[in-house]
Amino acid sequence: MYDGDQVPEEHFPALLAYLEGLRGRARELTLQKAEALMRELDQAGADTQDPPLRAKTQRVRQVLQLLS
């Protein structure tokens, strides 16, 4: 869901709306996976000039903000 090739930018808001409705274990698991990915991206230096990596980081941040 964080890859622009798998979920195009025009569909990402719909995905966020779907994720907003998650409850219980599904919400917890999605949040845990997003947190783990964010840690990986931070360790890898995701603030590089690589546009796809920056876009992925931005999507992870949006999911974290939504579910936190």
Side-chain angles (χ1 to χ4, degrees):
M1 87 175 112
Y2 304 111
D3 185 350
D5 291 335
Q6 292 180 358
V7 179
E9 190 62 38
E10 63 267 14
H11 298 297
F12 193 67
L15 177 62
L16 289 176
Y18 169 78
L19 292 175
E20 190 172 23
L22 288 179
R23 299 286 179 250
R25 185 70 180 137
R27 187 180 189 99
E28 292 172 19
L29 187 57
T30 303
L31 182 58
Q32 288 173 359
K33 288 183 176 185
E35 288 170 340
L37 181 55
M38 193 72 232
R39 282 191 297 275
E40 286 179 32
L41 291 170
D42 284 342
Q43 290 174 354
D47 292 329
T48 64
Q49 299 301 320
D50 182 23
L53 191 55
R54 278 198 325 250
K56 185 175 190 176
T57 302
Q58 180 62 30
R59 284 183 172 207
V60 174
R61 285 186 178 131
Q62 287 178 292
V63 170
L64 287 171
Q65 184 177 16
L66 179 73
L67 298 179
S68 295

Short mmCIF file of all heavy atoms in Angstrom, two decimals:
data_model
loop_
_atom_site.label_atom_id
_atom_site.label_comp_id
_atom_site.label_asym_id
_atom_site.label_seq_id
_atom_site.Cartn_x
_atom_site.Cartn_y
_atom_site.Cartn_z
N MET A 1 0.81 -1.19 0.00
CA MET A 1 0.00 0.00 0.00
C MET A 1 0.85 1.26 0.00
O MET A 1 0.36 2.33 -0.29
CB MET A 1 -0.96 -0.05 1.17
CG MET A 1 -0.46 0.49 2.48
SD MET A 1 -1.72 0.51 3.74
CE MET A 1 -1.09 -0.73 4.82
N TYR A 2 2.12 1.11 0.32
CA TYR A 2 3.00 2.28 0.37
C TYR A 2 3.70 2.54 -0.96
O TYR A 2 4.29 3.58 -1.14
CB TYR A 2 4.04 2.10 1.49
CG TYR A 2 3.40 1.84 2.82
CD1 TYR A 2 3.50 0.60 3.44
CD2 TYR A 2 2.64 2.82 3.45
CE1 TYR A 2 2.90 0.36 4.66
CE2 TYR A 2 2.03 2.59 4.67
CZ TYR A 2 2.17 1.36 5.27
OH TYR A 2 1.55 1.13 6.47
N ASP A 3 3.60 1.59 -1.86
CA ASP A 3 4.25 1.69 -3.16
C ASP A 3 3.30 2.33 -4.17
O ASP A 3 2.19 1.83 -4.39
CB ASP A 3 4.66 0.29 -3.62
CG ASP A 3 5.45 0.28 -4.91
OD1 ASP A 3 5.54 1.32 -5.57
OD2 ASP A 3 5.98 -0.79 -5.26
N GLY A 4 3.73 3.43 -4.77
CA GLY A 4 2.91 4.13 -5.75
C GLY A 4 2.60 3.31 -6.98
O GLY A 4 1.62 3.59 -7.68
N ASP A 5 3.40 2.29 -7.26
CA ASP A 5 3.11 1.41 -8.41
C ASP A 5 1.96 0.47 -8.10
O ASP A 5 1.20 0.09 -8.99
CB ASP A 5 4.35 0.60 -8.79
CG ASP A 5 5.46 1.46 -9.37
OD1 ASP A 5 5.15 2.54 -9.92
OD2 ASP A 5 6.63 1.06 -9.28
N GLN A 6 1.83 0.07 -6.85
CA GLN A 6 0.78 -0.87 -6.47
C GLN A 6 -0.54 -0.14 -6.18
O GLN A 6 -1.61 -0.66 -6.48
CB GLN A 6 1.20 -1.68 -5.25
CG GLN A 6 2.33 -2.62 -5.56
CD GLN A 6 2.75 -3.44 -4.35
OE1 GLN A 6 2.22 -3.29 -3.27
NE2 GLN A 6 3.73 -4.30 -4.55
N VAL A 7 -0.44 1.02 -5.54
CA VAL A 7 -1.63 1.83 -5.25
C VAL A 7 -1.35 3.23 -5.82
O VAL A 7 -0.62 4.00 -5.22
CB VAL A 7 -1.92 1.92 -3.73
CG1 VAL A 7 -3.13 2.80 -3.48
CG2 VAL A 7 -2.11 0.54 -3.14
N PRO A 8 -1.89 3.54 -6.97
CA PRO A 8 -1.64 4.84 -7.59
C PRO A 8 -2.09 6.00 -6.69
O PRO A 8 -2.98 5.83 -5.85
CB PRO A 8 -2.47 4.81 -8.87
CG PRO A 8 -2.73 3.37 -9.14
CD PRO A 8 -2.75 2.70 -7.80
N GLU A 9 -1.47 7.13 -6.88
CA GLU A 9 -1.74 8.31 -6.06
C GLU A 9 -3.22 8.67 -6.02
O GLU A 9 -3.75 9.05 -4.97
CB GLU A 9 -0.92 9.50 -6.58
CG GLU A 9 -0.93 10.70 -5.66
CD GLU A 9 -0.31 10.42 -4.29
OE1 GLU A 9 0.69 9.70 -4.22
OE2 GLU A 9 -0.84 10.96 -3.30
N GLU A 10 -3.92 8.52 -7.13
CA GLU A 10 -5.33 8.90 -7.16
C GLU A 10 -6.21 7.96 -6.32
O GLU A 10 -7.33 8.31 -5.95
CB GLU A 10 -5.87 8.97 -8.59
CG GLU A 10 -5.85 7.68 -9.35
CD GLU A 10 -4.58 7.46 -10.19
OE1 GLU A 10 -3.60 8.19 -9.99
OE2 GLU A 10 -4.60 6.55 -11.03
N HIS A 11 -5.70 6.76 -5.98
CA HIS A 11 -6.46 5.80 -5.17
C HIS A 11 -6.05 5.82 -3.70
O HIS A 11 -6.74 5.21 -2.87
CB HIS A 11 -6.32 4.38 -5.73
CG HIS A 11 -6.85 4.23 -7.11
ND1 HIS A 11 -8.18 4.42 -7.43
CD2 HIS A 11 -6.23 3.91 -8.27
CE1 HIS A 11 -8.35 4.22 -8.72
NE2 HIS A 11 -7.18 3.92 -9.25
N PHE A 12 -4.95 6.48 -3.39
CA PHE A 12 -4.46 6.46 -2.01
C PHE A 12 -5.44 7.08 -1.02
O PHE A 12 -5.62 6.54 0.07
CB PHE A 12 -3.07 7.11 -1.91
CG PHE A 12 -2.39 6.85 -0.61
CD1 PHE A 12 -1.99 5.57 -0.26
CD2 PHE A 12 -2.17 7.88 0.29
CE1 PHE A 12 -1.38 5.31 0.95
CE2 PHE A 12 -1.56 7.64 1.51
CZ PHE A 12 -1.15 6.35 1.84
N PRO A 13 -6.13 8.18 -1.34
CA PRO A 13 -7.12 8.72 -0.39
C PRO A 13 -8.24 7.71 -0.07
O PRO A 13 -8.70 7.63 1.07
CB PRO A 13 -7.68 9.95 -1.10
CG PRO A 13 -6.57 10.39 -1.99
CD PRO A 13 -5.93 9.11 -2.46
N ALA A 14 -8.64 6.92 -1.04
CA ALA A 14 -9.65 5.89 -0.79
C ALA A 14 -9.10 4.81 0.15
O ALA A 14 -9.82 4.31 1.02
CB ALA A 14 -10.12 5.26 -2.10
N LEU A 15 -7.84 4.48 -0.02
CA LEU A 15 -7.20 3.51 0.87
C LEU A 15 -7.15 4.06 2.30
O LEU A 15 -7.44 3.34 3.26
CB LEU A 15 -5.79 3.18 0.37
CG LEU A 15 -4.99 2.23 1.27
CD1 LEU A 15 -5.67 0.88 1.39
CD2 LEU A 15 -3.58 2.08 0.73
N LEU A 16 -6.81 5.33 2.44
CA LEU A 16 -6.79 5.95 3.76
C LEU A 16 -8.18 5.92 4.40
O LEU A 16 -8.32 5.65 5.60
CB LEU A 16 -6.26 7.38 3.69
CG LEU A 16 -4.78 7.55 3.40
CD1 LEU A 16 -4.43 9.02 3.27
CD2 LEU A 16 -3.92 6.89 4.47
N ALA A 17 -9.21 6.19 3.61
CA ALA A 17 -10.57 6.15 4.13
C ALA A 17 -10.92 4.74 4.61
O ALA A 17 -11.57 4.57 5.65
CB ALA A 17 -11.55 6.62 3.06
N TYR A 18 -10.48 3.74 3.86
CA TYR A 18 -10.71 2.35 4.27
C TYR A 18 -9.98 2.05 5.57
O TYR A 18 -10.55 1.47 6.50
CB TYR A 18 -10.26 1.40 3.16
CG TYR A 18 -10.22 -0.04 3.60
CD1 TYR A 18 -11.40 -0.78 3.68
CD2 TYR A 18 -9.02 -0.65 3.94
CE1 TYR A 18 -11.37 -2.10 4.10
CE2 TYR A 18 -8.99 -1.97 4.36
CZ TYR A 18 -10.16 -2.69 4.45
OH TYR A 18 -10.14 -4.00 4.86
N LEU A 19 -8.71 2.45 5.65
CA LEU A 19 -7.91 2.19 6.84
C LEU A 19 -8.48 2.88 8.07
O LEU A 19 -8.38 2.37 9.18
CB LEU A 19 -6.46 2.62 6.62
CG LEU A 19 -5.65 1.82 5.61
CD1 LEU A 19 -4.28 2.44 5.41
CD2 LEU A 19 -5.54 0.36 6.02
N GLU A 20 -9.09 4.03 7.87
CA GLU A 20 -9.67 4.76 8.98
C GLU A 20 -10.76 3.95 9.68
O GLU A 20 -10.97 4.07 10.89
CB GLU A 20 -10.25 6.09 8.48
CG GLU A 20 -10.66 7.02 9.58
CD GLU A 20 -11.06 8.39 9.06
OE1 GLU A 20 -11.42 8.49 7.86
OE2 GLU A 20 -11.01 9.34 9.83
N GLY A 21 -11.42 3.10 8.94
CA GLY A 21 -12.48 2.28 9.50
C GLY A 21 -12.01 1.01 10.18
O GLY A 21 -12.81 0.28 10.76
N LEU A 22 -10.72 0.72 10.12
CA LEU A 22 -10.21 -0.50 10.76
C LEU A 22 -10.39 -0.42 12.27
O LEU A 22 -10.20 0.63 12.88
CB LEU A 22 -8.73 -0.69 10.44
CG LEU A 22 -8.35 -1.10 9.03
CD1 LEU A 22 -6.83 -1.23 8.92
CD2 LEU A 22 -9.01 -2.41 8.64
N ARG A 23 -10.70 -1.55 12.85
CA ARG A 23 -10.87 -1.65 14.30
C ARG A 23 -10.15 -2.90 14.81
O ARG A 23 -9.83 -3.81 14.05
CB ARG A 23 -12.36 -1.76 14.66
CG ARG A 23 -13.18 -0.58 14.24
CD ARG A 23 -12.90 0.62 15.15
NE ARG A 23 -13.68 1.78 14.71
CZ ARG A 23 -13.14 2.86 14.15
NH1 ARG A 23 -11.87 2.93 13.93
NH2 ARG A 23 -13.91 3.87 13.81
N GLY A 24 -9.91 -2.92 16.09
CA GLY A 24 -9.37 -4.10 16.74
C GLY A 24 -8.01 -4.52 16.25
O GLY A 24 -7.12 -3.70 16.02
N ARG A 25 -7.86 -5.82 16.10
CA ARG A 25 -6.55 -6.41 15.75
C ARG A 25 -6.06 -5.93 14.38
O ARG A 25 -4.86 -5.73 14.19
CB ARG A 25 -6.66 -7.94 15.78
CG ARG A 25 -5.36 -8.63 15.55
CD ARG A 25 -4.41 -8.45 16.72
NE ARG A 25 -3.16 -9.15 16.43
CZ ARG A 25 -1.97 -8.65 16.67
NH1 ARG A 25 -1.83 -7.48 17.25
NH2 ARG A 25 -0.89 -9.32 16.37
N ALA A 26 -6.96 -5.75 13.43
CA ALA A 26 -6.54 -5.30 12.10
C ALA A 26 -5.89 -3.92 12.18
O ALA A 26 -4.87 -3.67 11.54
CB ALA A 26 -7.74 -5.26 11.16
N ARG A 27 -6.47 -3.04 12.98
CA ARG A 27 -5.91 -1.69 13.16
C ARG A 27 -4.55 -1.77 13.85
O ARG A 27 -3.60 -1.12 13.44
CB ARG A 27 -6.89 -0.83 13.96
CG ARG A 27 -6.48 0.62 14.05
CD ARG A 27 -7.50 1.41 14.87
NE ARG A 27 -7.24 2.82 14.80
CZ ARG A 27 -7.84 3.68 14.01
NH1 ARG A 27 -8.79 3.26 13.20
NH2 ARG A 27 -7.53 4.95 14.03
N GLU A 28 -4.48 -2.57 14.92
CA GLU A 28 -3.23 -2.72 15.67
C GLU A 28 -2.11 -3.26 14.79
O GLU A 28 -0.99 -2.76 14.81
CB GLU A 28 -3.44 -3.65 16.86
CG GLU A 28 -4.32 -3.11 17.94
CD GLU A 28 -4.64 -4.15 19.00
OE1 GLU A 28 -3.92 -5.17 19.08
OE2 GLU A 28 -5.62 -3.96 19.73
N LEU A 29 -2.43 -4.29 14.02
CA LEU A 29 -1.43 -4.92 13.17
C LEU A 29 -0.95 -3.96 12.07
O LEU A 29 0.24 -3.87 11.79
CB LEU A 29 -1.98 -6.20 12.55
CG LEU A 29 -1.01 -7.06 11.78
CD1 LEU A 29 0.18 -7.46 12.63
CD2 LEU A 29 -1.71 -8.30 11.25
N THR A 30 -1.88 -3.24 11.47
CA THR A 30 -1.52 -2.28 10.42
C THR A 30 -0.63 -1.19 11.00
O THR A 30 0.37 -0.80 10.40
CB THR A 30 -2.78 -1.67 9.78
OG1 THR A 30 -3.58 -2.73 9.26
CG2 THR A 30 -2.43 -0.71 8.67
N LEU A 31 -0.95 -0.72 12.21
CA LEU A 31 -0.15 0.30 12.87
C LEU A 31 1.24 -0.23 13.21
O LEU A 31 2.24 0.44 12.97
CB LEU A 31 -0.87 0.79 14.13
CG LEU A 31 -0.20 1.89 14.92
CD1 LEU A 31 0.05 3.14 14.06
CD2 LEU A 31 -1.02 2.25 16.14
N GLN A 32 1.31 -1.44 13.72
CA GLN A 32 2.61 -2.04 14.05
C GLN A 32 3.50 -2.18 12.81
O GLN A 32 4.69 -1.89 12.86
CB GLN A 32 2.42 -3.42 14.70
CG GLN A 32 1.88 -3.36 16.10
CD GLN A 32 1.54 -4.76 16.63
OE1 GLN A 32 1.70 -5.76 15.94
NE2 GLN A 32 1.04 -4.80 17.86
N LYS A 33 2.91 -2.62 11.72
CA LYS A 33 3.68 -2.79 10.49
C LYS A 33 4.15 -1.44 9.95
O LYS A 33 5.28 -1.31 9.46
CB LYS A 33 2.87 -3.53 9.44
CG LYS A 33 2.71 -5.00 9.76
CD LYS A 33 1.96 -5.73 8.67
CE LYS A 33 1.89 -7.21 8.97
NZ LYS A 33 1.28 -7.97 7.87
N ALA A 34 3.30 -0.42 10.05
CA ALA A 34 3.69 0.92 9.59
C ALA A 34 4.82 1.47 10.47
O ALA A 34 5.76 2.08 9.96
CB ALA A 34 2.49 1.86 9.61
N GLU A 35 4.74 1.25 11.77
CA GLU A 35 5.79 1.71 12.68
C GLU A 35 7.11 1.01 12.38
O GLU A 35 8.18 1.65 12.36
CB GLU A 35 5.39 1.47 14.13
CG GLU A 35 4.30 2.40 14.61
CD GLU A 35 3.73 2.02 15.97
OE1 GLU A 35 3.89 0.85 16.39
OE2 GLU A 35 3.12 2.90 16.60
N ALA A 36 7.06 -0.29 12.13
CA ALA A 36 8.27 -1.04 11.81
C ALA A 36 8.88 -0.55 10.50
O ALA A 36 10.10 -0.39 10.40
CB ALA A 36 7.96 -2.54 11.72
N LEU A 37 8.05 -0.31 9.51
CA LEU A 37 8.55 0.19 8.23
C LEU A 37 9.16 1.58 8.39
O LEU A 37 10.20 1.88 7.80
CB LEU A 37 7.43 0.21 7.19
CG LEU A 37 7.81 0.68 5.80
CD1 LEU A 37 8.97 -0.13 5.22
CD2 LEU A 37 6.62 0.60 4.87
N MET A 38 8.54 2.42 9.21
CA MET A 38 9.08 3.76 9.44
C MET A 38 10.44 3.69 10.10
O MET A 38 11.36 4.44 9.72
CB MET A 38 8.10 4.56 10.31
CG MET A 38 8.40 6.03 10.34
SD MET A 38 7.99 6.80 8.76
CE MET A 38 9.51 7.63 8.44
N ARG A 39 10.61 2.77 11.05
CA ARG A 39 11.93 2.58 11.68
C ARG A 39 12.97 2.15 10.64
O ARG A 39 14.09 2.66 10.62
CB ARG A 39 11.85 1.55 12.80
CG ARG A 39 11.26 2.10 14.09
CD ARG A 39 11.44 1.14 15.25
NE ARG A 39 10.74 -0.13 15.07
CZ ARG A 39 9.47 -0.35 15.36
NH1 ARG A 39 8.74 0.62 15.86
NH2 ARG A 39 8.93 -1.54 15.16
N GLU A 40 12.59 1.23 9.76
CA GLU A 40 13.50 0.77 8.71
C GLU A 40 13.88 1.93 7.79
O GLU A 40 15.06 2.09 7.44
CB GLU A 40 12.85 -0.32 7.87
CG GLU A 40 12.75 -1.66 8.54
CD GLU A 40 12.07 -2.68 7.64
OE1 GLU A 40 12.20 -2.60 6.39
OE2 GLU A 40 11.40 -3.57 8.18
N LEU A 41 12.91 2.72 7.40
CA LEU A 41 13.18 3.85 6.51
C LEU A 41 14.07 4.89 7.19
O LEU A 41 14.95 5.46 6.56
CB LEU A 41 11.87 4.49 6.05
CG LEU A 41 11.03 3.64 5.10
CD1 LEU A 41 9.65 4.25 4.91
CD2 LEU A 41 11.72 3.46 3.76
N ASP A 42 13.83 5.11 8.48
CA ASP A 42 14.67 6.05 9.23
C ASP A 42 16.11 5.57 9.30
O ASP A 42 17.05 6.34 9.11
CB ASP A 42 14.13 6.26 10.65
CG ASP A 42 12.92 7.16 10.69
OD1 ASP A 42 12.67 7.89 9.70
OD2 ASP A 42 12.20 7.13 11.71
N GLN A 43 16.29 4.28 9.55
CA GLN A 43 17.63 3.70 9.63
C GLN A 43 18.33 3.73 8.29
O GLN A 43 19.54 3.88 8.21
CB GLN A 43 17.57 2.28 10.17
CG GLN A 43 17.21 2.20 11.63
CD GLN A 43 17.02 0.78 12.12
OE1 GLN A 43 17.06 -0.17 11.33
NE2 GLN A 43 16.81 0.62 13.41
N ALA A 44 17.55 3.60 7.22
CA ALA A 44 18.13 3.58 5.87
C ALA A 44 18.38 4.99 5.35
O ALA A 44 18.90 5.17 4.25
CB ALA A 44 17.20 2.84 4.92
N GLY A 45 17.99 6.00 6.13
CA GLY A 45 18.19 7.37 5.68
C GLY A 45 17.17 7.75 4.62
O GLY A 45 17.52 8.18 3.52
N ALA A 46 15.92 7.61 4.93
CA ALA A 46 14.85 7.84 3.96
C ALA A 46 14.71 9.29 3.54
O ALA A 46 13.94 9.60 2.65
CB ALA A 46 13.52 7.35 4.53
N ASP A 47 15.43 10.18 4.17
CA ASP A 47 15.35 11.59 3.78
C ASP A 47 16.29 11.91 2.63
O ASP A 47 16.71 13.04 2.45
CB ASP A 47 15.67 12.49 4.99
CG ASP A 47 14.59 12.40 6.05
OD1 ASP A 47 13.43 12.17 5.69
OD2 ASP A 47 14.93 12.56 7.22
N THR A 48 16.56 10.92 1.83
CA THR A 48 17.42 11.11 0.68
C THR A 48 16.66 11.85 -0.42
O THR A 48 15.49 12.16 -0.29
CB THR A 48 17.91 9.76 0.13
OG1 THR A 48 16.79 9.03 -0.34
CG2 THR A 48 18.66 8.97 1.20
N GLN A 49 17.32 12.04 -1.52
CA GLN A 49 16.71 12.73 -2.65
C GLN A 49 16.00 11.79 -3.61
O GLN A 49 15.58 12.20 -4.68
CB GLN A 49 17.80 13.52 -3.41
CG GLN A 49 18.47 14.59 -2.58
CD GLN A 49 17.48 15.62 -2.04
OE1 GLN A 49 16.56 16.03 -2.73
NE2 GLN A 49 17.66 16.02 -0.80
N ASP A 50 15.84 10.53 -3.22
CA ASP A 50 15.16 9.54 -4.05
C ASP A 50 13.64 9.75 -3.99
O ASP A 50 13.02 9.47 -2.97
CB ASP A 50 15.53 8.15 -3.56
CG ASP A 50 14.93 7.04 -4.38
OD1 ASP A 50 14.58 7.30 -5.56
OD2 ASP A 50 14.80 5.92 -3.87
N PRO A 51 13.03 10.26 -5.07
CA PRO A 51 11.58 10.56 -5.03
C PRO A 51 10.69 9.38 -4.65
O PRO A 51 9.78 9.57 -3.84
CB PRO A 51 11.28 11.07 -6.44
CG PRO A 51 12.59 11.60 -6.92
CD PRO A 51 13.64 10.70 -6.32
N PRO A 52 10.89 8.17 -5.18
CA PRO A 52 10.01 7.07 -4.76
C PRO A 52 10.12 6.75 -3.27
O PRO A 52 9.13 6.46 -2.61
CB PRO A 52 10.48 5.88 -5.60
CG PRO A 52 11.13 6.49 -6.79
CD PRO A 52 11.76 7.75 -6.27
N LEU A 53 11.33 6.86 -2.74
CA LEU A 53 11.53 6.59 -1.31
C LEU A 53 10.90 7.69 -0.46
O LEU A 53 10.29 7.40 0.57
CB LEU A 53 13.02 6.46 -1.01
CG LEU A 53 13.40 5.91 0.36
CD1 LEU A 53 12.73 4.57 0.61
CD2 LEU A 53 14.90 5.78 0.47
N ARG A 54 11.00 8.91 -0.91
CA ARG A 54 10.34 10.02 -0.19
C ARG A 54 8.83 9.85 -0.21
O ARG A 54 8.15 10.09 0.79
CB ARG A 54 10.73 11.37 -0.81
CG ARG A 54 12.06 11.89 -0.34
CD ARG A 54 12.21 13.38 -0.60
NE ARG A 54 11.59 13.83 -1.82
CZ ARG A 54 12.24 14.23 -2.91
NH1 ARG A 54 13.55 14.25 -2.92
NH2 ARG A 54 11.59 14.63 -3.97
N ALA A 55 8.28 9.45 -1.35
CA ALA A 55 6.84 9.25 -1.46
C ALA A 55 6.38 8.11 -0.54
O ALA A 55 5.34 8.22 0.12
CB ALA A 55 6.46 8.94 -2.91
N LYS A 56 7.15 7.04 -0.48
CA LYS A 56 6.83 5.92 0.39
C LYS A 56 6.84 6.36 1.85
O LYS A 56 5.93 6.04 2.62
CB LYS A 56 7.83 4.78 0.17
CG LYS A 56 7.52 3.53 0.93
CD LYS A 56 8.51 2.44 0.53
CE LYS A 56 8.11 1.10 1.07
NZ LYS A 56 9.01 0.03 0.61
N THR A 57 7.84 7.14 2.22
CA THR A 57 7.94 7.65 3.59
C THR A 57 6.74 8.53 3.92
O THR A 57 6.18 8.43 5.01
CB THR A 57 9.25 8.44 3.77
OG1 THR A 57 10.36 7.59 3.46
CG2 THR A 57 9.40 8.97 5.18
N GLN A 58 6.33 9.36 2.99
CA GLN A 58 5.18 10.22 3.21
C GLN A 58 3.91 9.41 3.42
O GLN A 58 3.09 9.72 4.28
CB GLN A 58 5.02 11.20 2.03
CG GLN A 58 3.84 12.13 2.18
CD GLN A 58 3.96 13.04 3.40
OE1 GLN A 58 5.04 13.38 3.82
NE2 GLN A 58 2.83 13.43 3.95
N ARG A 59 3.75 8.36 2.64
CA ARG A 59 2.57 7.50 2.79
C ARG A 59 2.56 6.81 4.15
O ARG A 59 1.51 6.72 4.80
CB ARG A 59 2.51 6.47 1.67
CG ARG A 59 2.07 7.04 0.35
CD ARG A 59 1.97 5.96 -0.70
NE ARG A 59 1.37 6.50 -1.91
CZ ARG A 59 0.70 5.76 -2.78
NH1 ARG A 59 0.55 4.47 -2.60
NH2 ARG A 59 0.19 6.31 -3.86
N VAL A 60 3.72 6.33 4.57
CA VAL A 60 3.80 5.68 5.89
C VAL A 60 3.42 6.68 6.97
O VAL A 60 2.67 6.36 7.89
CB VAL A 60 5.21 5.09 6.14
CG1 VAL A 60 5.32 4.57 7.55
CG2 VAL A 60 5.53 4.00 5.14
N ARG A 61 3.92 7.89 6.87
CA ARG A 61 3.60 8.92 7.86
C ARG A 61 2.09 9.20 7.89
O ARG A 61 1.51 9.40 8.95
CB ARG A 61 4.37 10.20 7.57
CG ARG A 61 5.81 10.10 7.94
CD ARG A 61 6.52 11.43 7.80
NE ARG A 61 7.91 11.28 8.21
CZ ARG A 61 8.94 11.70 7.51
NH1 ARG A 61 8.76 12.35 6.37
NH2 ARG A 61 10.18 11.52 7.97
N GLN A 62 1.46 9.25 6.73
CA GLN A 62 0.03 9.50 6.68
C GLN A 62 -0.75 8.38 7.36
O GLN A 62 -1.70 8.64 8.10
CB GLN A 62 -0.44 9.65 5.23
CG GLN A 62 -0.02 10.95 4.59
CD GLN A 62 -0.48 11.02 3.15
OE1 GLN A 62 0.00 10.29 2.30
NE2 GLN A 62 -1.44 11.89 2.89
N VAL A 63 -0.33 7.14 7.13
CA VAL A 63 -1.00 5.99 7.77
C VAL A 63 -0.79 6.05 9.28
O VAL A 63 -1.73 5.85 10.06
CB VAL A 63 -0.50 4.66 7.17
CG1 VAL A 63 -1.00 3.48 7.98
CG2 VAL A 63 -0.95 4.54 5.71
N LEU A 64 0.43 6.34 9.70
CA LEU A 64 0.71 6.43 11.14
C LEU A 64 -0.13 7.51 11.79
O LEU A 64 -0.69 7.32 12.87
CB LEU A 64 2.19 6.69 11.38
CG LEU A 64 3.13 5.52 11.13
CD1 LEU A 64 4.58 5.98 11.19
CD2 LEU A 64 2.88 4.41 12.14
N GLN A 65 -0.22 8.64 11.15
CA GLN A 65 -1.00 9.75 11.69
C GLN A 65 -2.48 9.37 11.78
O GLN A 65 -3.15 9.67 12.76
CB GLN A 65 -0.82 11.00 10.84
CG GLN A 65 -1.54 12.22 11.39
CD GLN A 65 -1.28 13.45 10.56
OE1 GLN A 65 -0.82 13.37 9.42
NE2 GLN A 65 -1.58 14.59 11.11
N LEU A 66 -2.97 8.70 10.78
CA LEU A 66 -4.37 8.31 10.74
C LEU A 66 -4.72 7.30 11.84
O LEU A 66 -5.75 7.41 12.48
CB LEU A 66 -4.70 7.70 9.37
CG LEU A 66 -6.12 7.23 9.17
CD1 LEU A 66 -7.05 8.41 9.02
CD2 LEU A 66 -6.21 6.33 7.95
N LEU A 67 -3.84 6.33 12.04
CA LEU A 67 -4.14 5.24 12.96
C LEU A 67 -3.70 5.49 14.39
O LEU A 67 -4.12 4.75 15.29
CB LEU A 67 -3.51 3.93 12.45
CG LEU A 67 -4.00 3.44 11.09
CD1 LEU A 67 -3.28 2.17 10.71
CD2 LEU A 67 -5.51 3.25 11.09
N SER A 68 -2.90 6.50 14.61
CA SER A 68 -2.41 6.77 15.97
C SER A 68 -3.40 7.57 16.78
O SER A 68 -4.25 8.24 16.31
CB SER A 68 -1.11 7.54 15.92
OG SER A 68 -0.10 6.74 15.35
#
